[in-house]
């Protein structure tokens, strides 16, 4: 079994260093979380044990515990599989238990994965493994001469070339399972690897090389870079590079500045030097195949996945800070509030709510294109403002902002005695809320577009009370939010909502 004390201690040291806390406090928080206590409960009622730890470090420890549990589940699956196959030895079990990362765990397990359909397995089944071992152990042997004795129509080895190809598959698969080699090249790749982005052939043939994030055009040519070291690549650019690849606009490649380093290292590690011995050219070909076909694709996949996860973590951290600020915005002063929400097809939706959020009135006006009922809209707004003695008029900053601002400016100039004040708030999730089950249940008698106007007024009056009704996925806090891992986004934003309600 894993030393749980050591594991928790390591986790606590990392959390303490990151958030500048006492290790003993972090360790106490981990033990409470392991016992099933929630973040909100610990933050509020266990301050004495955790040194007054806030929600952010507690959420971080929850994520670390979830990652550890996923690693533990994967390890247990491996152990059960190996036991069933009667391949589990005390040494192998010890190595699996000592693996602290998913990559290391998979490297240890790699030799025991099912390879029944692999080229190397087929080569072994027809008896080509002795040929591979003979050429590797004694490079003075001539490959073609040695392979001739393994040619057999009965074993489906039609010629010398087929025999040598099969022997190469055997050696490549065996070398690819070397943990020391994999760890060294993985580390070297992170330190020296570069990411290049090129326009795909499909996008080069198009007249327009643009895409859009919301209303903002993206010129993919701006993301074409000669070579950017992955350790210095700005994480905010990663999402756009991955979007470009997903939309077949960009081709991403991970390379090393010294393209021959990996092959030289592999050859040196396998004690293969380029001299005049007959088998050396063939062995060096095996090393090149090992890198190009096995190790490089594996490391590239790992690095890109890790790079994306880092970008997601950084971006989600920004989203949570932004949402926390919005949710904890102080409520507005009491007063009757009018919410405005502009939609091109539905015109300008208007809703008036009292200081408790009860809907007093709602209507739709069409002052802009294509109806151009400007005067009718001014008259309708003036009547509504006067009837309910509206104190605040609330609108967003996005679609129709300038037109609505001009309309309200004209209204204020024409009726200077009306004591209303124009305020601005965000429109996060307002349209999605209008069509959601929650919106339908809360406002069944209100026309769908006007529910958004009701939400605008209420979120100005009490942001927390209104925004917790929204689905986290409906709150588009950043232009690249849909490019992130949606499960992680929803999990993080839901946690922020719970923390803010608790606060």
């Amino acid at each position: 079994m894993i030393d749980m004390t050591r594991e928790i201690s390591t986790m606590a040291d990392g959390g303490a260093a990151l958030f500048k806390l006492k290790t003993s406090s972090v360790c106490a928080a981990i033990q409470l979380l392991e016992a099933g206590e929630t973040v909100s409960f610990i933050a509020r009622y266990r301050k004495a044990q955790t040194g007054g730890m806030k929600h952010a470090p507690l959420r971080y420890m929850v994520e670390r515990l979830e990652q550890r549990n996923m690693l533990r589940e994967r390890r247990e699956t491996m152990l059960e599989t190996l036991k069933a196959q009667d391949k589990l030895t005390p040494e192998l079990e010890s190595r699996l238990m000592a693996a602290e990362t998913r990559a290391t765990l998979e490297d240890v397990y790699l030799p025991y994965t099912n390879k029944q359909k692999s080229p190397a397995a087929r080569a072994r089944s027809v008896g080509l493994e002795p040929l591979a071992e003979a050429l590797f152990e004694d490079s003075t042997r001539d490959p073609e001469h040695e392979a001739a004795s393994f040619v057999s129509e009965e074993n489906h080895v039609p010629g010398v070339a087929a025999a040598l190809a099969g022997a190469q598959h055997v050696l490549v698969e065996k070398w690819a399972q070397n943990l020391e080699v994999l760890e060294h090249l993985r580390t070297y790749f992170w330190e020296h690897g570069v990411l290049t982005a090129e326009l795909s052939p499909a996008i080069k043939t198009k007249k327009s090389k643009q895409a859009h994030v919301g209303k903002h055009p993206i010129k993919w040519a701006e993301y074409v870079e000669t070579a950017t070291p992955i350790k210095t690549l700005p994480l905010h650019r990663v999402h756009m590079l991955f979007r470009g690849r997903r939309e077949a606009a960009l081709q991403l490649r991970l390379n090393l500045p010294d393209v021959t380093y990996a092959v030289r290292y592999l050859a040196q590690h396998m004690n293969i030097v380029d001299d005049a011995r007959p088998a050396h050219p063939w062995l060096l070909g095996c090393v090149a195949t090992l890198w190009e076909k096995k190790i490089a694709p594996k490391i590239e996949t790992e690095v890109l996945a890790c790079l994306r996860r880092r970008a997601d973590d950084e971006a989600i951290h920004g989203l949570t800070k932004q949402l926390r600020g919005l949710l904890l915005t102080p409520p507005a002063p009491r007063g009757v509030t009018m919410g405005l929400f502009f939609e091109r097809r539905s015109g300008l939706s208007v809703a008036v709510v009292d200081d408790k959020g009860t809907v007093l009135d709602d209507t739709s006006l069409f002052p802009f294109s294509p109806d151009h009922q400007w005067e009718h809209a001014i008259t309708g707004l003036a009547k509504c403002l006067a009837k309910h003695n509206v104190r605040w008029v609330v609108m967003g900053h996005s679609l129709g902002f300038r037109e609505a601002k001009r309309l309200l400016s004209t209204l204020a100039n024409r009726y200077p005695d009306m004591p209303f004040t124009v305020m601005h708030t965000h429109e996060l999730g307002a349209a999605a809320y209008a069509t959601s089950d929650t919106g339908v249940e809360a406002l069944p008698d209100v026309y769908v577009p006007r529910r958004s106007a009701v939400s605008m007024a209420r979120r100005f009056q009490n942001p927390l009370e209104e925004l917790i009704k929204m689905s986290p996925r409906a709150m588009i806090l950043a232009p690249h939010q849909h490019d992130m891992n949606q499960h992680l986004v929803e999990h993080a934003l839901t946690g922020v909502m719970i923390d803010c309600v608790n606060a």
Side-chain angles (χ1 to χ4, degrees):
M1 294 296 293
I2 297 177
D3 185 350
M4 297 301 296
T5 303
R6 178 179 61 83
E7 192 177 47
I8 290 177
S9 177
T10 302
M11 196 180 301
D13 289 339
L18 181 62
F19 294 97
K20 298 180 180 179
L21 299 169
K22 292 183 178 179
T23 302
S24 58
S25 299
V26 180
C27 193
I30 292 174
Q31 291 173 346
L32 288 169
L33 290 169
E34 287 276 78
E37 305 294 355
T38 64
V39 169
S40 299
F41 179 84
I42 296 171
R44 188 162 187 173
Y45 298 110
R46 293 294 181 266
K47 295 180 181 179
Q49 294 175 243
T50 65
M53 191 179 296
K54 302 297 183 182
H55 291 89
L58 287 171
R59 290 287 173 197
Y60 170 79
M61 299 317 303
V62 168
E63 292 177 3
R64 290 294 308 276
L65 288 171
E66 289 178 350
Q67 293 173 8
R68 188 201 66 177
N69 291 337
M70 291 175 61
L71 186 66
R72 182 187 298 172
E73 291 175 1
R74 177 60 178 154
R75 182 186 289 113
E76 290 176 353
T77 300
M78 291 178 177
L79 291 172
E80 291 176 1
T81 303
L82 291 170
K83 284 181 180 178
Q85 297 174 353
D86 198 23
K87 295 179 180 178
L88 185 62
T89 64
E91 180 185 358
L92 177 57
E93 183 175 8
S94 176
R95 291 167 64 196
L96 288 172
M97 289 298 185
E100 296 183 355
T101 65
R102 181 66 179 263
T104 304
L105 188 66
E106 295 293 344
D107 287 347
V108 174
Y109 185 65
L110 182 62
Y112 305 95
T113 55
N114 187 0
K115 302 183 179 67
Q116 293 181 355
K117 297 181 180 179
S118 70
R122 289 195 293 269
R124 291 191 189 93
S125 67
V126 297
L128 293 176
E129 187 170 14
L131 172 62
E133 293 177 350
L135 293 175
F136 177 59
E137 292 172 359
D138 185 2
S139 59
T140 61
R141 301 187 182 192
D142 181 74
E144 293 188 359
H145 180 268
E146 295 293 326
S149 61
F150 288 86
V151 175
S152 170
E153 293 292 340
E154 180 181 353
N155 291 334
H156 304 286
V157 183
V160 169
L164 290 175
Q168 184 183 78
H169 289 313
V170 173
L171 284 183
V172 167
E173 183 177 277
K174 180 179 179 180
W175 292 343
Q177 297 168 3
N178 189 304
L179 300 184
E180 182 182 350
V181 166
L182 291 173
E183 190 60 33
H184 175 84
L185 291 177
R186 186 183 289 117
T187 302
Y188 186 85
F189 217 111
W190 270 112
E191 288 296 320
H192 304 283
V194 294
L195 180 67
T196 59
E198 299 177 357
L199 289 177
S200 67
I203 202 80
K204 288 179 181 178
T205 59
K206 294 181 180 179
K207 294 182 179 179
S208 174
K209 299 182 177 64
Q210 294 185 2
H212 288 78
V213 172
K215 299 183 296 181
H216 307 288
I218 301 170
K219 296 181 179 179
W220 291 120
E222 296 177 359
Y223 291 88
V224 175
E225 300 169 284
T226 52
T228 306
I230 55 176
K231 67 177 182 180
T232 62
L233 180 68
L235 294 179
H236 66 271
R237 295 180 67 86
V238 172
H239 287 125
M240 287 311 304
L241 292 173
F242 275 94
R243 172 183 281 202
R245 187 176 72 167
R246 187 171 64 252
E247 296 183 2
L250 298 178
Q251 292 179 335
L252 304 184
R253 290 187 177 87
L254 280 173
N255 298 304
L256 293 174
D258 183 359
V259 294
T260 63
Y261 171 81
V263 175
R264 293 201 312 271
Y265 168 78
L266 289 169
Q268 182 180 2
H269 188 85
M270 305 302 173
N271 294 319
I272 300 171
V273 293
D274 189 5
D275 57 19
R277 295 183 181 183
H280 274 156
W282 181 81
L283 289 171
L284 289 174
C286 292
V287 170
T289 301
L290 168 66
W291 170 248
E292 295 172 3
K293 303 297 184 182
K294 286 284 187 179
I295 297 180
K298 173 182 172 65
I299 294 179
E300 181 174 348
T301 301
E302 291 177 358
V303 169
L304 289 177
C306 187
L307 197 62
R308 181 162 189 170
R309 179 58 190 263
R310 289 184 180 182
D312 281 351
D313 289 345
E314 181 182 83
I316 289 172
H317 178 67
L319 296 183
T320 55
K321 289 181 62 177
Q322 187 178 350
L323 181 59
R324 183 176 287 108
L326 293 173
L327 292 173
L328 296 182
T329 301
R334 298 171 66 88
V336 178
T337 305
M338 174 184 287
L340 304 180
F341 190 82
F342 178 73
E343 292 189 8
R344 293 196 182 278
R345 294 183 179 181
S346 305
L348 186 65
S349 297
V350 182
V352 179
V353 301
D354 63 15
D355 52 12
K356 295 181 180 179
T358 304
V359 180
L360 303 176
D361 199 356
D362 63 277
T363 186
S364 295
L365 302 172
F366 303 91
F368 315 121
S369 176
D371 299 279
H372 299 289
Q373 298 177 9
W374 185 263
E375 293 299 326
H376 180 268
I378 292 177
T379 303
L381 284 175
K383 289 180 179 179
C384 196
L385 290 167
K387 178 181 177 181
H388 300 289
N389 192 25
V390 174
R391 181 180 179 184
W392 311 104
V393 176
V394 182
M395 54 189 255
H397 277 287
S398 58
L399 191 64
F401 163 70
R402 293 184 178 180
E403 293 90 339
K405 187 175 181 180
R406 184 164 59 92
L407 179 69
L408 292 173
S409 178
T410 304
L411 176 64
N413 292 333
R414 190 171 298 182
Y415 301 96
D417 296 333
M418 285 190 176
F420 69 89
T421 303
V422 178
M423 304 298 291
H424 298 280
T425 188
H426 53 84
E427 301 177 1
L428 298 177
Y433 169 74
T435 57
S436 67
D437 294 339
T438 304
V440 172
E441 183 178 352
L443 302 167
D445 300 325
V446 179
Y447 181 50
V448 173
R450 299 173 196 169
R451 291 177 191 154
S452 300
V454 174
S455 179
M456 295 293 292
R458 287 177 173 175
R459 69 179 57 190
F460 170 74
Q461 292 179 328
N462 193 329
L464 179 60
E465 183 178 342
E466 184 64 19
L467 288 176
I468 59 174
K469 302 175 184 177
M470 313 290 173
S471 167
R473 289 192 180 187
M475 296 186 182
I476 308 303
L477 296 156
H480 309 314
Q481 187 168 325
H482 287 308
D483 297 319
M484 306 173 197
N485 185 311
Q486 294 304 297
H487 172 73
L488 296 178
V489 170
E490 185 168 12
H491 180 73
L493 297 186
T494 301
V496 170
M497 287 183 168
I498 294 173
D499 295 344
C500 290
V501 170
N502 178 63

